[in-house]
PDB file of all heavy atoms in Angstrom:
ATOM      1  N   SER A   9     -80.876   4.182  82.523  1.00  0.00           N
ATOM      2  CA  SER A   9     -79.837   4.462  83.537  1.00  0.00           C
ATOM      3  C   SER A   9     -80.259   5.550  84.448  1.00  0.00           C
ATOM      4  O   SER A   9     -81.156   6.322  84.177  1.00  0.00           O
ATOM      5  CB  SER A   9     -78.509   4.828  82.806  1.00  0.00           C
ATOM      6  OG  SER A   9     -78.659   6.123  82.218  1.00  0.00           O
ATOM      7  N   LEU A  10     -79.604   5.635  85.655  1.00  0.00           N
ATOM      8  CA  LEU A  10     -79.941   6.665  86.630  1.00  0.00           C
ATOM      9  C   LEU A  10     -79.689   8.032  86.042  1.00  0.00           C
ATOM     10  O   LEU A  10     -80.472   8.948  86.278  1.00  0.00           O
ATOM     11  CB  LEU A  10     -79.139   6.417  87.844  1.00  0.00           C
ATOM     12  CG  LEU A  10     -79.368   7.429  88.925  1.00  0.00           C
ATOM     13  CD1 LEU A  10     -80.787   7.404  89.514  1.00  0.00           C
ATOM     14  CD2 LEU A  10     -78.335   7.217  90.181  1.00  0.00           C
ATOM     15  N   PHE A  11     -78.653   8.203  85.277  1.00  0.00           N
ATOM     16  CA  PHE A  11     -78.361   9.521  84.676  1.00  0.00           C
ATOM     17  C   PHE A  11     -79.464   9.984  83.781  1.00  0.00           C
ATOM     18  O   PHE A  11     -79.838  11.154  83.837  1.00  0.00           O
ATOM     19  CB  PHE A  11     -76.989   9.492  83.907  1.00  0.00           C
ATOM     20  CG  PHE A  11     -76.742  10.685  83.133  1.00  0.00           C
ATOM     21  CD1 PHE A  11     -76.272  11.769  83.772  1.00  0.00           C
ATOM     22  CD2 PHE A  11     -76.940  10.806  81.743  1.00  0.00           C
ATOM     23  CE1 PHE A  11     -75.988  12.963  83.017  1.00  0.00           C
ATOM     24  CE2 PHE A  11     -76.708  11.911  81.080  1.00  0.00           C
ATOM     25  CZ  PHE A  11     -76.275  13.061  81.724  1.00  0.00           C
ATOM     26  N   ARG A  12     -79.953   9.107  82.900  1.00  0.00           N
ATOM     27  CA  ARG A  12     -81.002   9.524  81.984  1.00  0.00           C
ATOM     28  C   ARG A  12     -82.292   9.816  82.726  1.00  0.00           C
ATOM     29  O   ARG A  12     -82.993  10.740  82.355  1.00  0.00           O
ATOM     30  CB  ARG A  12     -81.230   8.384  80.991  1.00  0.00           C
ATOM     31  CG  ARG A  12     -80.097   8.270  80.013  1.00  0.00           C
ATOM     32  CD  ARG A  12     -80.254   7.246  79.007  1.00  0.00           C
ATOM     33  NE  ARG A  12     -81.440   7.448  78.231  1.00  0.00           N
ATOM     34  CZ  ARG A  12     -81.879   6.694  77.184  1.00  0.00           C
ATOM     35  NH1 ARG A  12     -81.181   5.646  76.884  1.00  0.00           N
ATOM     36  NH2 ARG A  12     -82.929   6.970  76.564  1.00  0.00           N
ATOM     37  N   ARG A  13     -82.568   9.072  83.803  1.00  0.00           N
ATOM     38  CA  ARG A  13     -83.794   9.337  84.557  1.00  0.00           C
ATOM     39  C   ARG A  13     -83.676  10.666  85.298  1.00  0.00           C
ATOM     40  O   ARG A  13     -84.623  11.417  85.309  1.00  0.00           O
ATOM     41  CB  ARG A  13     -83.993   8.230  85.650  1.00  0.00           C
ATOM     42  CG  ARG A  13     -84.410   6.916  84.999  1.00  0.00           C
ATOM     43  CD  ARG A  13     -84.528   5.910  86.127  1.00  0.00           C
ATOM     44  NE  ARG A  13     -84.646   4.567  85.531  1.00  0.00           N
ATOM     45  CZ  ARG A  13     -85.384   3.620  86.110  1.00  0.00           C
ATOM     46  NH1 ARG A  13     -86.057   3.855  87.198  1.00  0.00           N
ATOM     47  NH2 ARG A  13     -85.412   2.444  85.539  1.00  0.00           N
ATOM     48  N   LEU A  14     -82.537  10.984  85.876  1.00  0.00           N
ATOM     49  CA  LEU A  14     -82.341  12.262  86.552  1.00  0.00           C
ATOM     50  C   LEU A  14     -82.362  13.422  85.605  1.00  0.00           C
ATOM     51  O   LEU A  14     -82.891  14.486  85.890  1.00  0.00           O
ATOM     52  CB  LEU A  14     -81.034  12.217  87.344  1.00  0.00           C
ATOM     53  CG  LEU A  14     -80.979  11.292  88.598  1.00  0.00           C
ATOM     54  CD1 LEU A  14     -79.582  11.269  89.222  1.00  0.00           C
ATOM     55  CD2 LEU A  14     -82.055  11.732  89.573  1.00  0.00           C
ATOM     56  N   ALA A  15     -81.795  13.217  84.396  1.00  0.00           N
ATOM     57  CA  ALA A  15     -81.757  14.284  83.380  1.00  0.00           C
ATOM     58  C   ALA A  15     -83.233  14.580  82.969  1.00  0.00           C
ATOM     59  O   ALA A  15     -83.635  15.761  82.838  1.00  0.00           O
ATOM     60  CB  ALA A  15     -80.945  13.902  82.193  1.00  0.00           C
ATOM     61  N   ALA A  16     -84.045  13.546  82.726  1.00  0.00           N
ATOM     62  CA  ALA A  16     -85.442  13.775  82.337  1.00  0.00           C
ATOM     63  C   ALA A  16     -86.193  14.384  83.539  1.00  0.00           C
ATOM     64  O   ALA A  16     -87.047  15.328  83.249  1.00  0.00           O
ATOM     65  CB  ALA A  16     -86.084  12.441  81.997  1.00  0.00           C
ATOM     66  N   ALA A  17     -85.912  13.982  84.787  1.00  0.00           N
ATOM     67  CA  ALA A  17     -86.583  14.637  85.921  1.00  0.00           C
ATOM     68  C   ALA A  17     -86.217  16.073  86.027  1.00  0.00           C
ATOM     69  O   ALA A  17     -87.067  16.901  86.403  1.00  0.00           O
ATOM     70  CB  ALA A  17     -86.182  13.840  87.172  1.00  0.00           C
ATOM     71  N   LEU A  18     -84.963  16.452  85.712  1.00  0.00           N
ATOM     72  CA  LEU A  18     -84.555  17.891  85.741  1.00  0.00           C
ATOM     73  C   LEU A  18     -85.352  18.635  84.718  1.00  0.00           C
ATOM     74  O   LEU A  18     -85.858  19.731  85.040  1.00  0.00           O
ATOM     75  CB  LEU A  18     -83.043  17.985  85.480  1.00  0.00           C
ATOM     76  CG  LEU A  18     -82.554  19.412  85.428  1.00  0.00           C
ATOM     77  CD1 LEU A  18     -82.695  20.083  86.774  1.00  0.00           C
ATOM     78  CD2 LEU A  18     -81.109  19.450  84.963  1.00  0.00           C
ATOM     79  N   TYR A  19     -85.456  18.173  83.512  1.00  0.00           N
ATOM     80  CA  TYR A  19     -86.258  18.836  82.495  1.00  0.00           C
ATOM     81  C   TYR A  19     -87.704  18.990  82.961  1.00  0.00           C
ATOM     82  O   TYR A  19     -88.255  20.113  82.830  1.00  0.00           O
ATOM     83  CB  TYR A  19     -86.337  17.954  81.217  1.00  0.00           C
ATOM     84  CG  TYR A  19     -85.096  18.073  80.317  1.00  0.00           C
ATOM     85  CD1 TYR A  19     -83.796  18.270  80.833  1.00  0.00           C
ATOM     86  CD2 TYR A  19     -85.161  17.930  78.987  1.00  0.00           C
ATOM     87  CE1 TYR A  19     -82.669  18.327  79.991  1.00  0.00           C
ATOM     88  CE2 TYR A  19     -84.081  17.990  78.127  1.00  0.00           C
ATOM     89  CZ  TYR A  19     -82.861  18.166  78.673  1.00  0.00           C
ATOM     90  OH  TYR A  19     -81.770  18.201  77.847  1.00  0.00           O
ATOM     91  N   ASP A  20     -88.274  17.925  83.450  1.00  0.00           N
ATOM     92  CA  ASP A  20     -89.669  17.998  83.913  1.00  0.00           C
ATOM     93  C   ASP A  20     -89.828  18.893  85.099  1.00  0.00           C
ATOM     94  O   ASP A  20     -90.928  19.547  85.234  1.00  0.00           O
ATOM     95  CB  ASP A  20     -90.206  16.603  84.180  1.00  0.00           C
ATOM     96  CG  ASP A  20     -90.410  15.737  82.972  1.00  0.00           C
ATOM     97  OD1 ASP A  20     -90.615  16.357  81.891  1.00  0.00           O
ATOM     98  OD2 ASP A  20     -90.358  14.522  83.061  1.00  0.00           O
ATOM     99  N   SER A  21     -88.869  18.982  85.986  1.00  0.00           N
ATOM    100  CA  SER A  21     -88.969  19.840  87.106  1.00  0.00           C
ATOM    101  C   SER A  21     -89.056  21.287  86.732  1.00  0.00           C
ATOM    102  O   SER A  21     -89.779  22.103  87.319  1.00  0.00           O
ATOM    103  CB  SER A  21     -87.894  19.564  88.110  1.00  0.00           C
ATOM    104  OG  SER A  21     -86.607  19.967  87.621  1.00  0.00           O
ATOM    105  N   LEU A  22     -88.297  21.699  85.692  1.00  0.00           N
ATOM    106  CA  LEU A  22     -88.281  23.033  85.208  1.00  0.00           C
ATOM    107  C   LEU A  22     -89.679  23.346  84.660  1.00  0.00           C
ATOM    108  O   LEU A  22     -90.197  24.475  84.878  1.00  0.00           O
ATOM    109  CB  LEU A  22     -87.220  23.271  84.109  1.00  0.00           C
ATOM    110  CG  LEU A  22     -85.801  23.114  84.623  1.00  0.00           C
ATOM    111  CD1 LEU A  22     -84.842  23.224  83.490  1.00  0.00           C
ATOM    112  CD2 LEU A  22     -85.460  24.195  85.686  1.00  0.00           C
ATOM    113  N   ILE A  23     -90.294  22.426  83.946  1.00  0.00           N
ATOM    114  CA  ILE A  23     -91.665  22.656  83.389  1.00  0.00           C
ATOM    115  C   ILE A  23     -92.609  22.705  84.566  1.00  0.00           C
ATOM    116  O   ILE A  23     -93.502  23.657  84.537  1.00  0.00           O
ATOM    117  CB  ILE A  23     -92.012  21.561  82.411  1.00  0.00           C
ATOM    118  CG1 ILE A  23     -91.105  21.550  81.224  1.00  0.00           C
ATOM    119  CG2 ILE A  23     -93.473  21.683  81.963  1.00  0.00           C
ATOM    120  CD1 ILE A  23     -91.163  20.379  80.307  1.00  0.00           C
TER     121      ILE A  23
END
Side-chain angles (χ1 to χ4, degrees):
S9 69
L10 179 63
F11 173 77
R12 290 179 62 178
R13 291 179 192 215
L14 290 175
L18 177 65
Y19 281 31
D20 289 335
S21 68
L22 295 175
I23 296 168

